[in-house]
Amino acid sequence: MRKYETIFILHPSLDEEAVKSIQDKFKGVIENGGGVIDNVDFWGRRKLAYEISKVSEGYYTLINFTANTELPKELDRVFGITDGVIRHIIVKEEK
């Protein structure tokens, strides 16, 4: 089991209920894949460093989790097919 960190940005046109639903979806992928969520930090709506597809703001969420080496691949796949995700990254935490 390794420690990972993921940050994802959701489209600003989503309402709070949709943002919460998408966050729960990703938490479910982690937990159902055998991972353990260590921390979830919702940063709220913030300005992006640069425009992405003419969008200048987004909802940021940081999740720290512990999982096997296969789970980040599945999580990355789910990020890619989920509507509303502007950007995402999964990083293995160094010791």
Side-chain angles (χ1 to χ4, degrees), residues 4 13 15 20 40 42 47 50 54 70 76 83-84 90:
Y4 295 93
S13 66
D15 60 3
K20 180 76 172 142
V40 177
F42 179 60
K47 187 167 177 57
Y50 55 90
K54 298 184 181 181
E70 296 300 315
D76 186 52
D83 290 337
I90 303 169

Side-chain angles (χ1 to χ4, degrees), residues 11-13 48 50-57 84-87:
H11 201 278
S13 66
L48 302 175
Y50 55 90
E51 282 191 2
I52 301 170
S53 302
K54 298 184 181 181
V55 176
S56 61
E57 291 185 331
V85 176
I86 298 174
R87 284 283 194 271

Side-chain angles (χ1 to χ4, degrees), residues 2-86:
R2 294 184 175 163
K3 291 194 172 284
Y4 295 93
E5 167 178 283
T6 184
I7 297 177
F8 56 93
I9 306 170
L10 301 177
H11 201 278
S13 66
L14 298 172
D15 60 3
E16 286 189 32
E17 186 176 307
V19 170
K20 180 76 172 142
S21 172
I22 293 173
Q23 289 173 338
D24 290 342
K25 175 181 179 178
F26 295 137
K27 288 191 282 187
V29 169
I30 293 168
E31 291 170 343
N32 294 336
V36 177
I37 296 176
D38 302 323
N39 182 40
V40 177
D41 193 9
F42 179 60
W43 296 352
R45 189 172 177 154
R46 295 181 177 240
K47 187 167 177 57
L48 302 175
Y50 55 90
E51 282 191 2
I52 301 170
S53 302
K54 298 184 181 181
V55 176
S56 61
E57 291 185 331
Y59 292 102
Y60 285 71
T61 304
L62 167 72
I63 300 177
N64 299 91
F65 63 98
T66 305
N68 61 31
T69 57
E70 296 300 315
L71 184 64
K73 295 173 189 169
E74 174 63 15
L75 187 59
D76 186 52
R77 185 188 72 80
V78 174
F79 276 133
I81 62 173
T82 302
D83 290 337
V85 176
I86 298 174

